[in-house]
Amino acid sequence: MQDFSFYNPTRIEFGAGKIASLDQLVPAEARVLVLFGGESARRTGTLDEVTAALGSRQVQLFGGIEPNPSFETLMEAVTVVRRDNIDFLLAVGGGSVIDGTKFVAAAALFEGDAWDILTTMGQNIERALPFGSVLTLPATGSEMNKGSVITRKSLQAKLPFMSEQVFPRFSVLDPVKTYTLPQRQVANGVVDAFIHVMEQYLTYPDQAPVQDRFAEGLLQTLVEIGPRALAEPEDYQTRASLMWTATLALNGLIGAGVPQDWATHMLGHELTALHNLDHAQTLAVVLPEMLRQRKAAKLGKLVQYAERVWDIREGSDDDKAEAAIERTRDFFESVGVKTRLGDYGLGAEHIDGIIDSLQSHGMVALGEHGDVTPEHCRQILLASL
Amino acid sequence: MQDFSFYNPTRIEFGAGKIASLDQLVPAEARVLVLFGGESARRTGTLDEVTAALGSRQVQLFGGIEPNPSFETLMEAVTVVRRDNIDFLLAVGGGSVIDGTKFVAAAALFEGDAWDILTTMGQNIERALPFGSVLTLPATGSEMNKGSVITRKSLQAKLPFMSEQVFPRFSVLDPVKTYTLPQRQVANGVVDAFIHVMEQYLTYPDQAPVQDRFAEGLLQTLVEIGPRALAEPEDYQTRASLMWTATLALNGLIGAGVPQDWATHMLGHELTALHNLDHAQTLAVVLPEMLRQRKAAKLGKLVQYAERVWDIREGSDDDKAEAAIERTRDFFESVGVKTRLGDYGLGAEHIDGIIDSLQSHGMVALGEHGDVTPEHCRQILLASL
């Protein structure tokens, strides 16, 4: 186990009907801006339920936050916050809305050009407006962490920032709110959570048995419940486990004290930026061949993963690793997330552009050892055709 | 999964040498009272290391907090805090010192008779002094939770309280600080952590797959590392895993959203109060026969425990449950914690007194179903002779 710091002060209120607890969670005198994405929040009645729970508080709405939330849209929200002396933000939606709200919370109190929050990865954030979230889409874990990723369309840049100032004060997790999600978003959420765990787990054995067991437990649970979450959208218990699993996949716990990878995410970001694939689709394409490309360095953990998550007991270490990689690919396909570039209309002719973009973003030494080069990434994409 | 609230704002600083981080963790202008137990904190140099890290801050020491910390001793500390305008407390020790510090933190700002904190189980705590901890003994989890148990010698009463006001602001976990612990304390810590998990896990299947996997991961880890933690006291990685496992065993995470038992603890408390057994010794005596007595109600989870934690695959459900109970007993014995009343000089003639005491404390409907009676407890003790 490596040295670590762990801190996570977000309060979770979990269960059907918990939106009513907003009345206790949000300060009684707050002037609240409710941020959300598209029309689904309104159509499903969630927005009405939220505003009803907020009672007589002064409440304004700000809709239209996009998937891959944009600096441009969010700065409009910052203008509203400043103009109307908003003092509490409430995100209603999935990871994009919560990520965007984190940025608004920090930018509203930031002196100077708010874009600097991104260029310094959040290190210059000294304070932020308090905010909470009502989660409607289990996937990113943003509801219980301090990270956010923001896109600036005019610069074609997608950048992360982190700060303890942007932990949500609370997040309300009501599994019923996921019943009306499109299948594609649920499937993406399963894959996103799975690969969040893999980025923190599938590196090399490092004497962290509890972190390993927790990560394996999250993976096993996703394997068990993923297909059922799609087949039975109103099975409360399945959706409840999916929601809590996705939160725990990226709240800092399983990554505390262990090496981390994140190469799959970095390469995947380029596929979203250039070719507009969903985030989870990019991960499903990249991960299997990333694991195969790096099989030698990851062999110890691949074998452990094969045995403990997939119960693969036969064959050589290499056999087990190969079988586990294929099971992983099959799992993504089984929930309907395609794993080949060709499935998204991309061919060998697109690879140069992707690698150029990766290099231009300085992503030349990726992974837990910092030894994954653009040339490795080229081979990975070729193998993913 | 049941509805739940989860909140845990304690910051963890984990690793060798992390005591130096006290300089960042404790406010620069604080007037600090350092609370500790016996002379070992001084003898091992930990107290010197702590006071050195606190630099030029105004620091006083308060030693002598007992195992099963007493109201009487702690009120002396409250007097010091009030007299000298102490505004930050620092616990240096194990669960007893941290539990005691929680009480001092609340009592120092409490108006009225501080014993009311215990009689109301902490519900009347409105504020508390801020405090942190330097953990030296992995066992109770007090370093990252909001609970405490205090004994009032004059009343022969041992009572718990809980309050969000008494979460430690931070806890420093340095595995090296455990190297000099007596074997008995390390063994007790292994058993204590194991049974903390069991109280939150071994109830009935309730569709909480992630909580189950996490609990099983903690149990499996304790089984793997427990004997080695005793055999190789200076194996850093083993002690690191033991320390983090014991913290995670009772920080609210694995108990969120699941039924809980705690009957073993309630009966065990009587054995400590009347016959002065170590807390972990009482749990090791009670748990195996508690599981056997309640085998019918717990059968589903006992079989899951047998299969997943002990890899018992043969036989009927009853066979698996019986085998798992015996493996549990053998595990406690293997780390040197005896599991029979006779091992502690207690015989059948002591049982009436224990049951009378249990009843006088109102413990007449224990367990996850509230159906464990004093008569059941009598049978459990008879079977534990």
Side-chain angles (χ1 to χ4, degrees):
Chain A
M1 199 184 309
Q2 303 176 353
D3 291 358
F4 66 87
S5 302
F6 178 80
Y7 174 65
N8 192 321
T10 299
R11 184 185 300 273
I12 299 294
E13 292 292 342
F14 192 102
K18 283 278 191 163
I19 285 177
S21 65
L22 288 173
D23 194 35
Q24 285 79 55
L25 295 166
V26 177
E29 303 298 319
R31 290 183 299 276
V32 183
L33 186 66
V34 175
L35 300 99
F36 62 102
E39 283 308 297
S40 64
R42 206 184 294 271
R43 197 177 57 242
T44 58
T46 301
L47 265 188
D48 286 344
E49 199 176 338
V50 165
T51 51
L54 290 172
S56 59
R57 292 172 183 82
Q58 186 184 314
V59 174
Q60 288 185 62
L61 304 181
F62 185 93
I65 297 180
E66 318 90 327
N68 305 308
S70 78
F71 176 80
E72 290 83 353
T73 299
L74 298 171
M75 288 307 293
E76 292 176 32
V78 170
T79 300
V80 172
V81 168
R82 289 175 172 165
R83 183 190 67 204
D84 297 336
N85 294 311
I86 298 290
D87 56 17
F88 200 94
L89 306 180
L90 183 61
V92 178
S96 293
V97 174
I98 302 172
D99 276 13
T101 300
K102 288 175 177 177
F103 179 77
V104 174
L109 302 186
F110 192 78
E111 293 175 12
D113 181 356
W115 184 244
D116 287 348
I117 291 173
L118 279 310
T119 56
T120 63
M121 296 184 74
Q123 286 180 23
N124 54 1
I125 297 174
E126 291 177 3
R127 57 212 176 101
L129 281 181
F131 71 97
S133 89
V134 174
L135 183 68
T136 59
L137 171 57
T140 73
S142 187
E143 64 277 9
M144 199 185 182
N145 68 36
K146 62 180 175 182
S148 168
V149 181
I150 302 298
T151 296
R152 189 161 187 173
K153 296 183 216 170
S154 63
L155 303 179
Q156 284 191 295
K158 183 174 177 178
L159 297 177
F161 74 96
M162 288 204 266
S163 168
E164 287 190 359
Q165 301 299 317
V166 299
F167 274 112
R169 296 295 170 102
F170 63 80
S171 286
V172 174
L173 276 59
D174 176 350
V176 176
K177 295 295 151 204
T178 72
Y179 289 178
T180 54
L181 287 170
Q183 294 282 84
R184 171 169 155 181
Q185 289 191 13
V186 177
N188 280 346
V190 170
V191 170
D192 198 18
F194 193 94
I195 297 180
H196 284 159
V197 179
M198 291 291 274
E199 298 276 29
Q200 301 166 83
Y201 165 70
L202 220 149
T203 57
Y204 50 88
D206 197 32
Q207 301 188 77
V210 167
Q211 289 90 329
D212 282 1
R213 295 281 185 193
F214 277 21
E216 288 151 1
L218 295 171
L219 296 172
Q220 287 171 295
T221 301
L222 288 167
V223 169
E224 282 169 21
I225 68 174
R228 197 164 66 238
L230 289 159
E232 300 173 35
E234 301 200 1
D235 178 332
Y236 178 85
Q237 289 295 343
T238 299
R239 289 295 173 99
S241 282
L242 175 59
M243 205 165 207
W244 191 220
T245 300
T247 299
L248 293 170
L250 197 56
N251 76 341
L253 181 68
I254 63 166
V258 297
Q260 301 193 21
D261 183 339
W262 298 102
T264 293
H265 269 71
M266 295 305 110
L267 182 51
H269 281 172
E270 304 300 336
L271 291 169
T272 296
L274 292 176
H275 300 291
N276 211 26
L277 275 67
D278 294 347
H279 176 57
Q281 293 172 338
T282 72
L283 304 176
V285 166
V286 174
L287 183 74
E289 295 305 329
M290 179 70 76
L291 294 177
R292 183 164 283 125
Q293 173 69 226
R294 304 179 61 200
K295 196 167 56 179
K298 287 180 179 289
L299 191 62
K301 215 60 178 281
L302 276 168
V303 171
Q304 181 177 325
Y305 168 65
E307 293 176 346
R308 293 191 182 176
V309 176
W310 296 108
D311 201 26
I312 297 166
R313 304 284 169 179
E314 306 292 317
S316 66
D317 282 359
D318 190 75
D319 292 340
K320 290 178 180 173
E322 281 293 331
I325 291 169
E326 280 315 300
R327 294 290 289 272
T328 307
R329 180 188 296 282
D330 292 346
F331 174 64
F332 299 153
E333 296 274 351
S334 79
V335 294
V337 181
K338 297 292 180 185
T339 63
R340 293 287 178 188
L341 284 171
D343 297 322
Y344 302 98
L346 297 176
E349 69 278 17
H350 296 97
I351 292 180
D352 278 350
I354 296 164
I355 298 301
D356 288 350
S357 183
L358 191 72
Q359 285 182 303
S360 76
H361 292 145
M363 301 293 174
V364 295
L366 300 174
E368 67 271 19
H369 297 293
D371 59 357
V372 178
T373 64
E375 185 51 34
H376 291 126
C377 292
R378 181 189 306 277
Q379 297 304 321
I380 289 162
L381 294 178
L382 279 168
S384 307
L385 284 171
Chain B
M1 197 184 312
Q2 303 176 352
D3 292 357
F4 66 87
S5 302
F6 178 81
Y7 174 65
N8 193 321
T10 299
R11 185 184 299 273
I12 299 294
E13 292 292 342
F14 193 104
K18 283 277 193 163
I19 286 177
S21 65
L22 288 173
D23 194 33
Q24 284 79 53
L25 295 166
V26 178
E29 303 299 320
R31 289 182 300 277
V32 183
L33 185 67
V34 175
L35 299 99
F36 62 101
E39 283 307 298
S40 63
R42 206 185 294 274
R43 196 177 60 244
T44 58
T46 301
L47 266 188
D48 286 345
E49 199 177 337
V50 165
T51 51
L54 291 172
S56 59
R57 291 172 184 81
Q58 186 184 313
V59 174
Q60 288 185 63
L61 304 182
F62 185 93
I65 297 180
E66 317 90 328
N68 305 308
S70 78
F71 177 79
E72 290 83 353
T73 300
L74 298 171
M75 287 307 293
E76 292 176 33
V78 170
T79 301
V80 172
V81 167
R82 290 175 170 166
R83 183 190 70 204
D84 296 336
N85 295 312
I86 297 290
D87 56 18
F88 200 96
L89 307 180
L90 184 60
V92 178
S96 295
V97 174
I98 301 171
D99 276 13
T101 299
K102 289 175 177 176
F103 179 76
V104 173
L109 302 186
F110 191 77
E111 292 175 15
D113 180 355
W115 184 243
D116 288 347
I117 291 173
L118 280 309
T119 58
T120 63
M121 296 184 74
Q123 286 179 23
N124 55 1
I125 297 174
E126 290 177 4
R127 57 212 176 101
L129 282 179
F131 71 97
S133 88
V134 174
L135 183 68
T136 59
L137 171 56
T140 74
S142 187
E143 64 277 8
M144 198 184 183
N145 68 35
K146 62 180 176 182
S148 167
V149 181
I150 303 298
T151 296
R152 189 161 186 173
K153 296 184 216 170
S154 62
L155 304 179
Q156 285 191 291
K158 183 174 176 178
L159 296 177
F161 75 96
M162 287 204 266
S163 169
E164 287 191 357
Q165 301 298 318
V166 299
F167 274 113
R169 296 296 172 101
F170 62 81
S171 286
V172 174
L173 276 59
D174 176 351
V176 175
K177 295 296 152 202
T178 73
Y179 289 178
T180 54
L181 287 171
Q183 294 282 82
R184 171 169 155 182
Q185 290 192 13
V186 176
N188 281 346
V190 170
V191 170
D192 198 17
F194 193 95
I195 296 180
H196 284 159
V197 179
M198 291 290 274
E199 298 276 30
Q200 301 166 84
Y201 164 70
L202 220 149
T203 57
Y204 51 88
D206 197 32
Q207 302 190 77
V210 167
Q211 289 90 329
D212 282 1
R213 295 282 185 191
F214 278 20
E216 289 152 0
L218 295 171
L219 296 172
Q220 288 171 295
T221 301
L222 288 167
V223 169
E224 283 169 20
I225 68 174
R228 197 163 67 237
L230 289 159
E232 300 173 33
E234 302 200 359
D235 178 331
Y236 177 86
Q237 289 295 345
T238 299
R239 289 295 174 96
S241 282
L242 175 58
M243 205 166 209
W244 191 219
T245 299
T247 298
L248 293 170
L250 197 55
N251 76 341
L253 181 68
I254 63 167
V258 297
Q260 301 194 20
D261 184 340
W262 298 103
T264 295
H265 269 71
M266 295 306 108
L267 183 51
H269 281 173
E270 304 300 335
L271 290 169
T272 297
L274 292 175
H275 301 291
N276 212 27
L277 274 68
D278 294 348
H279 176 59
Q281 292 171 338
T282 73
L283 305 177
V285 167
V286 173
L287 183 73
E289 295 305 329
M290 179 71 75
L291 294 177
R292 183 165 284 125
Q293 173 69 223
R294 304 180 61 200
K295 196 168 56 181
K298 287 180 178 291
L299 191 62
K301 215 62 179 277
L302 276 168
V303 171
Q304 181 178 325
Y305 168 65
E307 293 175 347
R308 293 191 183 176
V309 175
W310 295 108
D311 201 26
I312 296 166
R313 304 283 169 179
E314 305 293 315
S316 66
D317 283 359
D318 189 76
D319 292 340
K320 289 177 181 174
E322 281 294 330
I325 292 168
E326 281 315 300
R327 293 290 289 274
T328 306
R329 182 188 294 283
D330 292 347
F331 174 64
F332 300 155
E333 296 274 351
S334 80
V335 294
V337 180
K338 297 291 180 186
T339 63
R340 293 287 178 187
L341 285 170
D343 296 322
Y344 303 99
L346 297 176
E349 68 278 15
H350 296 96
I351 292 180
D352 279 350
I354 296 164
I355 298 302
D356 287 351
S357 184
L358 190 73
Q359 284 182 303
S360 76
H361 292 145
M363 301 294 174
V364 296
L366 301 175
E368 66 271 18
H369 297 294
D371 60 357
V372 178
T373 65
E375 184 52 34
H376 290 126
C377 291
R378 181 190 307 278
Q379 298 304 321
I380 289 162
L381 294 178
L382 279 168
S384 307
L385 285 170

